[in-house]
mmCIF file of all heavy atoms in Angstrom:
data_model
loop_
_atom_site.group_PDB
_atom_site.id
_atom_site.type_symbol
_atom_site.label_atom_id
_atom_site.label_comp_id
_atom_site.label_asym_id
_atom_site.label_seq_id
_atom_site.Cartn_x
_atom_site.Cartn_y
_atom_site.Cartn_z
ATOM 1 N N ALA N 53 -26.763 13.062 10.193
ATOM 2 C CA ALA N 53 -25.350 13.433 10.207
ATOM 3 C C ALA N 53 -24.529 12.498 11.077
ATOM 4 O O ALA N 53 -23.332 12.383 10.908
ATOM 5 C CB ALA N 53 -25.189 14.867 10.688
ATOM 6 N N ALA N 54 -25.173 11.827 12.043
ATOM 7 C CA ALA N 54 -24.421 10.978 12.958
ATOM 8 C C ALA N 54 -24.320 9.546 12.469
ATOM 9 O O ALA N 54 -23.638 8.747 13.069
ATOM 10 C CB ALA N 54 -25.069 11.007 14.344
ATOM 11 N N ALA N 55 -25.012 9.225 11.370
ATOM 12 C CA ALA N 55 -24.967 7.859 10.861
ATOM 13 C C ALA N 55 -23.678 7.640 10.076
ATOM 14 O O ALA N 55 -23.247 8.528 9.339
ATOM 15 C CB ALA N 55 -26.175 7.594 9.976
ATOM 16 N N PRO N 56 -23.049 6.473 10.211
ATOM 17 C CA PRO N 56 -21.832 6.212 9.438
ATOM 18 C C PRO N 56 -22.108 6.320 7.945
ATOM 19 O O PRO N 56 -23.136 5.856 7.457
ATOM 20 C CB PRO N 56 -21.464 4.774 9.836
ATOM 21 C CG PRO N 56 -22.128 4.566 11.159
ATOM 22 C CD PRO N 56 -23.394 5.354 11.102
ATOM 23 N N LEU N 71 -10.035 13.091 9.908
ATOM 24 C CA LEU N 71 -10.332 12.730 11.292
ATOM 25 C C LEU N 71 -9.067 12.652 12.137
ATOM 26 O O LEU N 71 -9.097 12.937 13.338
ATOM 27 C CB LEU N 71 -11.088 11.404 11.335
ATOM 28 C CG LEU N 71 -12.547 11.503 10.901
ATOM 29 C CD1 LEU N 71 -13.158 10.126 10.715
ATOM 30 C CD2 LEU N 71 -13.346 12.308 11.918
ATOM 31 N N LEU N 74 -8.629 16.134 13.122
ATOM 32 C CA LEU N 74 -9.760 16.590 13.924
ATOM 33 C C LEU N 74 -9.708 16.051 15.350
ATOM 34 O O LEU N 74 -9.972 16.764 16.316
ATOM 35 C CB LEU N 74 -11.063 16.143 13.242
ATOM 36 C CG LEU N 74 -12.372 16.344 14.003
ATOM 37 C CD1 LEU N 74 -12.649 17.826 14.188
ATOM 38 C CD2 LEU N 74 -13.523 15.676 13.263
ATOM 39 N N LEU N 75 -9.322 14.774 15.492
ATOM 40 C CA LEU N 75 -9.371 14.116 16.799
ATOM 41 C C LEU N 75 -8.065 14.227 17.585
ATOM 42 O O LEU N 75 -8.047 13.959 18.787
ATOM 43 C CB LEU N 75 -9.730 12.646 16.617
ATOM 44 C CG LEU N 75 -11.070 12.370 15.912
ATOM 45 C CD1 LEU N 75 -11.273 10.875 15.744
ATOM 46 C CD2 LEU N 75 -12.218 12.992 16.689
ATOM 47 N N ALA N 78 -6.608 11.676 20.381
ATOM 48 C CA ALA N 78 -7.664 10.681 20.602
ATOM 49 C C ALA N 78 -7.777 9.717 19.436
ATOM 50 O O ALA N 78 -8.362 8.637 19.571
ATOM 51 C CB ALA N 78 -9.004 11.378 20.827
ATOM 52 N N PHE N 79 -7.222 10.074 18.285
ATOM 53 C CA PHE N 79 -7.275 9.215 17.098
ATOM 54 C C PHE N 79 -6.319 8.043 17.281
ATOM 55 O O PHE N 79 -5.135 8.226 17.538
ATOM 56 C CB PHE N 79 -6.883 10.024 15.868
ATOM 57 C CG PHE N 79 -6.897 9.249 14.579
ATOM 58 C CD1 PHE N 79 -8.082 9.022 13.903
ATOM 59 C CD2 PHE N 79 -5.719 8.766 14.041
ATOM 60 C CE1 PHE N 79 -8.103 8.325 12.700
ATOM 61 C CE2 PHE N 79 -5.722 8.066 12.842
ATOM 62 C CZ PHE N 79 -6.915 7.844 12.173
ATOM 63 N N VAL N 93 -13.215 4.125 12.814
ATOM 64 C CA VAL N 93 -12.177 4.943 13.441
ATOM 65 C C VAL N 93 -12.065 4.583 14.914
ATOM 66 O O VAL N 93 -13.074 4.567 15.632
ATOM 67 C CB VAL N 93 -12.487 6.447 13.288
ATOM 68 C CG1 VAL N 93 -11.481 7.278 14.061
ATOM 69 C CG2 VAL N 93 -12.458 6.838 11.820
ATOM 70 N N ASN N 94 -10.850 4.263 15.352
ATOM 71 C CA ASN N 94 -10.588 4.001 16.769
ATOM 72 C C ASN N 94 -10.350 5.306 17.496
ATOM 73 O O ASN N 94 -9.605 6.170 17.015
ATOM 74 C CB ASN N 94 -9.349 3.123 16.926
ATOM 75 C CG ASN N 94 -9.526 1.738 16.333
ATOM 76 O OD1 ASN N 94 -10.639 1.234 16.228
ATOM 77 N ND2 ASN N 94 -8.431 1.122 15.940
ATOM 78 N N VAL N 95 -10.950 5.458 18.670
ATOM 79 C CA VAL N 95 -10.715 6.648 19.477
ATOM 80 C C VAL N 95 -10.432 6.248 20.912
ATOM 81 O O VAL N 95 -10.943 5.251 21.414
ATOM 82 C CB VAL N 95 -11.912 7.634 19.444
ATOM 83 C CG1 VAL N 95 -12.163 8.134 18.035
ATOM 84 C CG2 VAL N 95 -13.172 6.993 20.014
ATOM 85 N N VAL N 96 -9.583 7.034 21.548
ATOM 86 C CA VAL N 96 -9.331 6.908 22.987
ATOM 87 C C VAL N 96 -9.843 8.208 23.600
ATOM 88 O O VAL N 96 -9.158 9.232 23.556
ATOM 89 C CB VAL N 96 -7.832 6.716 23.281
ATOM 90 C CG1 VAL N 96 -7.597 6.568 24.783
ATOM 91 C CG2 VAL N 96 -7.297 5.506 22.543
ATOM 92 N N PRO N 97 -11.064 8.222 24.129
ATOM 93 C CA PRO N 97 -11.709 9.470 24.533
ATOM 94 C C PRO N 97 -10.924 10.302 25.541
ATOM 95 O O PRO N 97 -10.812 11.512 25.411
ATOM 96 C CB PRO N 97 -13.047 9.005 25.116
ATOM 97 C CG PRO N 97 -13.278 7.672 24.497
ATOM 98 C CD PRO N 97 -11.925 7.059 24.346
ATOM 99 N N GLY N 98 -10.365 9.655 26.567
ATOM 100 C CA GLY N 98 -9.653 10.423 27.581
ATOM 101 C C GLY N 98 -10.576 11.398 28.289
ATOM 102 O O GLY N 98 -11.696 11.060 28.657
ATOM 103 N N ASP N 99 -10.093 12.637 28.452
ATOM 104 C CA ASP N 99 -10.879 13.654 29.156
ATOM 105 C C ASP N 99 -11.864 14.367 28.236
ATOM 106 O O ASP N 99 -12.697 15.144 28.702
ATOM 107 C CB ASP N 99 -9.947 14.693 29.788
ATOM 108 C CG ASP N 99 -9.055 14.076 30.860
ATOM 109 O OD1 ASP N 99 -9.515 13.103 31.501
ATOM 110 O OD2 ASP N 99 -7.920 14.557 31.038
ATOM 111 N N ASP N 100 -11.757 14.128 26.933
ATOM 112 C CA ASP N 100 -12.618 14.819 25.975
ATOM 113 C C ASP N 100 -13.759 13.895 25.582
ATOM 114 O O ASP N 100 -13.588 12.970 24.784
ATOM 115 C CB ASP N 100 -11.802 15.219 24.746
ATOM 116 C CG ASP N 100 -12.611 16.059 23.764
ATOM 117 O OD1 ASP N 100 -13.829 16.230 23.995
ATOM 118 O OD2 ASP N 100 -12.027 16.527 22.775
ATOM 119 N N ASP N 101 -14.936 14.149 26.110
ATOM 120 C CA ASP N 101 -16.065 13.271 25.824
ATOM 121 C C ASP N 101 -16.774 13.641 24.531
ATOM 122 O O ASP N 101 -17.792 13.053 24.178
ATOM 123 C CB ASP N 101 -17.061 13.278 26.986
ATOM 124 C CG ASP N 101 -17.578 14.681 27.307
ATOM 125 O OD1 ASP N 101 -17.211 15.632 26.586
ATOM 126 O OD2 ASP N 101 -18.342 14.813 28.279
ATOM 127 N N GLN N 102 -16.229 14.626 23.799
ATOM 128 C CA GLN N 102 -16.848 15.039 22.546
ATOM 129 C C GLN N 102 -16.200 14.412 21.312
ATOM 130 O O GLN N 102 -16.675 14.597 20.191
ATOM 131 C CB GLN N 102 -16.785 16.567 22.426
ATOM 132 C CG GLN N 102 -17.677 17.297 23.421
ATOM 133 C CD GLN N 102 -19.146 16.925 23.237
ATOM 134 O OE1 GLN N 102 -19.680 17.047 22.141
ATOM 135 N NE2 GLN N 102 -19.775 16.461 24.307
ATOM 136 N N VAL N 103 -15.084 13.686 21.497
ATOM 137 C CA VAL N 103 -14.378 13.160 20.322
ATOM 138 C C VAL N 103 -15.232 12.143 19.568
ATOM 139 O O VAL N 103 -15.209 12.090 18.331
ATOM 140 C CB VAL N 103 -13.020 12.546 20.711
ATOM 141 C CG1 VAL N 103 -12.070 13.615 21.185
ATOM 142 C CG2 VAL N 103 -13.183 11.432 21.732
ATOM 143 N N VAL N 104 -15.984 11.335 20.304
ATOM 144 C CA VAL N 104 -16.833 10.354 19.651
ATOM 145 C C VAL N 104 -17.907 11.056 18.829
ATOM 146 O O VAL N 104 -18.190 10.684 17.686
ATOM 147 C CB VAL N 104 -17.468 9.406 20.686
ATOM 148 C CG1 VAL N 104 -18.506 8.500 20.023
ATOM 149 C CG2 VAL N 104 -16.401 8.565 21.370
ATOM 150 N N VAL N 105 -18.505 12.079 19.401
ATOM 151 C CA VAL N 105 -19.542 12.834 18.696
ATOM 152 C C VAL N 105 -18.987 13.454 17.423
ATOM 153 O O VAL N 105 -19.612 13.401 16.361
ATOM 154 C CB VAL N 105 -20.130 13.926 19.608
ATOM 155 C CG1 VAL N 105 -21.115 14.806 18.837
ATOM 156 C CG2 VAL N 105 -20.804 13.298 20.823
ATOM 157 N N ARG N 106 -17.792 14.033 17.506
ATOM 158 C CA ARG N 106 -17.203 14.674 16.335
ATOM 159 C C ARG N 106 -16.891 13.657 15.236
ATOM 160 O O ARG N 106 -17.124 13.916 14.056
ATOM 161 C CB ARG N 106 -15.925 15.416 16.736
ATOM 162 C CG ARG N 106 -16.182 16.680 17.546
ATOM 163 C CD ARG N 106 -14.964 17.579 17.547
ATOM 164 N NE ARG N 106 -13.857 17.018 18.302
ATOM 165 C CZ ARG N 106 -13.664 17.201 19.607
ATOM 166 N NH1 ARG N 106 -14.523 17.921 20.305
ATOM 167 N NH2 ARG N 106 -12.623 16.661 20.212
ATOM 168 N N ALA N 107 -16.389 12.489 15.624
ATOM 169 C CA ALA N 107 -16.077 11.462 14.632
ATOM 170 C C ALA N 107 -17.344 10.931 13.975
ATOM 171 O O ALA N 107 -17.381 10.686 12.764
ATOM 172 C CB ALA N 107 -15.300 10.325 15.282
ATOM 173 N N GLU N 108 -18.382 10.741 14.761
ATOM 174 C CA GLU N 108 -19.648 10.263 14.199
ATOM 175 C C GLU N 108 -20.261 11.298 13.267
ATOM 176 O O GLU N 108 -20.802 10.952 12.208
ATOM 177 C CB GLU N 108 -20.620 9.908 15.326
ATOM 178 C CG GLU N 108 -20.223 8.659 16.095
ATOM 179 C CD GLU N 108 -21.140 8.357 17.263
ATOM 180 O OE1 GLU N 108 -21.826 9.294 17.735
ATOM 181 O OE2 GLU N 108 -21.162 7.199 17.700
ATOM 182 N N LYS N 109 -20.159 12.556 13.628
ATOM 183 C CA LYS N 109 -20.681 13.612 12.759
ATOM 184 C C LYS N 109 -19.941 13.658 11.429
ATOM 185 O O LYS N 109 -20.506 14.011 10.399
ATOM 186 C CB LYS N 109 -20.555 14.973 13.455
ATOM 187 C CG LYS N 109 -21.690 15.297 14.412
ATOM 188 C CD LYS N 109 -21.509 16.707 14.947
ATOM 189 C CE LYS N 109 -22.854 17.328 15.228
ATOM 190 N NZ LYS N 109 -22.697 18.723 15.682
ATOM 191 N N ALA N 110 -18.673 13.299 11.459
ATOM 192 C CA ALA N 110 -17.874 13.304 10.237
ATOM 193 C C ALA N 110 -18.244 12.143 9.314
ATOM 194 O O ALA N 110 -17.843 12.127 8.154
ATOM 195 C CB ALA N 110 -16.392 13.240 10.578
ATOM 196 N N GLY N 111 -18.997 11.180 9.820
ATOM 197 C CA GLY N 111 -19.444 10.082 8.976
ATOM 198 C C GLY N 111 -18.761 8.759 9.222
ATOM 199 O O GLY N 111 -18.944 7.816 8.456
ATOM 200 N N ALA N 112 -17.954 8.651 10.266
ATOM 201 C CA ALA N 112 -17.252 7.404 10.543
ATOM 202 C C ALA N 112 -18.023 6.556 11.549
ATOM 203 O O ALA N 112 -18.827 7.059 12.326
ATOM 204 C CB ALA N 112 -15.864 7.692 11.091
ATOM 205 N N GLU N 113 -17.746 5.257 11.529
ATOM 206 C CA GLU N 113 -18.214 4.381 12.591
ATOM 207 C C GLU N 113 -17.139 4.410 13.675
ATOM 208 O O GLU N 113 -15.973 4.156 13.393
ATOM 209 C CB GLU N 113 -18.398 2.960 12.065
ATOM 210 C CG GLU N 113 -18.868 1.973 13.122
ATOM 211 C CD GLU N 113 -19.091 0.583 12.546
ATOM 212 O OE1 GLU N 113 -19.453 0.479 11.359
ATOM 213 O OE2 GLU N 113 -18.889 -0.401 13.298
ATOM 214 N N VAL N 114 -17.508 4.731 14.884
ATOM 215 C CA VAL N 114 -16.538 4.978 15.948
ATOM 216 C C VAL N 114 -16.455 3.783 16.884
ATOM 217 O O VAL N 114 -17.469 3.196 17.274
ATOM 218 C CB VAL N 114 -16.914 6.239 16.748
ATOM 219 C CG1 VAL N 114 -15.900 6.482 17.864
ATOM 220 C CG2 VAL N 114 -16.963 7.448 15.819
ATOM 221 N N ARG N 115 -15.205 3.448 17.252
ATOM 222 C CA ARG N 115 -14.963 2.356 18.190
ATOM 223 C C ARG N 115 -13.993 2.839 19.246
ATOM 224 O O ARG N 115 -12.894 3.302 18.935
ATOM 225 C CB ARG N 115 -14.377 1.153 17.443
ATOM 226 C CG ARG N 115 -14.295 -0.102 18.274
ATOM 227 C CD ARG N 115 -13.757 -1.254 17.450
ATOM 228 N NE ARG N 115 -12.356 -1.041 17.092
ATOM 229 C CZ ARG N 115 -11.507 -2.037 16.814
ATOM 230 N NH1 ARG N 115 -11.923 -3.282 16.837
ATOM 231 N NH2 ARG N 115 -10.270 -1.783 16.494
ATOM 232 N N GLU N 116 -14.374 2.735 20.501
ATOM 233 C CA GLU N 116 -13.488 3.156 21.590
ATOM 234 C C GLU N 116 -12.504 2.033 21.902
ATOM 235 O O GLU N 116 -12.883 0.876 22.031
ATOM 236 C CB GLU N 116 -14.300 3.521 22.828
ATOM 237 C CG GLU N 116 -15.193 4.738 22.629
ATOM 238 C CD GLU N 116 -15.855 5.205 23.912
ATOM 239 O OE1 GLU N 116 -15.232 5.022 24.986
ATOM 240 O OE2 GLU N 116 -16.973 5.727 23.839
ATOM 241 N N VAL N 117 -11.215 2.394 22.019
ATOM 242 C CA VAL N 117 -10.151 1.420 22.263
ATOM 243 C C VAL N 117 -9.252 1.895 23.401
ATOM 244 O O VAL N 117 -9.374 3.027 23.878
ATOM 245 C CB VAL N 117 -9.306 1.208 20.984
ATOM 246 C CG1 VAL N 117 -10.161 0.595 19.875
ATOM 247 C CG2 VAL N 117 -8.691 2.516 20.521
ATOM 248 N N ASN N 406 -16.784 20.908 12.027
ATOM 249 C CA ASN N 406 -16.199 19.864 12.858
ATOM 250 C C ASN N 406 -14.687 19.923 12.839
ATOM 251 O O ASN N 406 -14.031 19.515 13.778
ATOM 252 C CB ASN N 406 -16.652 18.492 12.371
ATOM 253 C CG ASN N 406 -18.133 18.282 12.582
ATOM 254 O OD1 ASN N 406 -18.686 18.786 13.553
ATOM 255 N ND2 ASN N 406 -18.784 17.570 11.673
#
Side-chain angles (χ1 to χ4, degrees):
L71 286 169
L74 172 65
L75 302 178
F79 180 81
V93 174
N94 295 334
V95 298
V96 181
D99 296 329
D100 185 354
D101 57 3
Q102 291 300 306
V103 292
V104 172
V105 174
R106 288 197 291 271
E108 289 177 339
K109 276 185 149 183
E113 179 178 329
V114 180
R115 189 178 68 155
E116 295 188 31
V117 296
N406 293 327

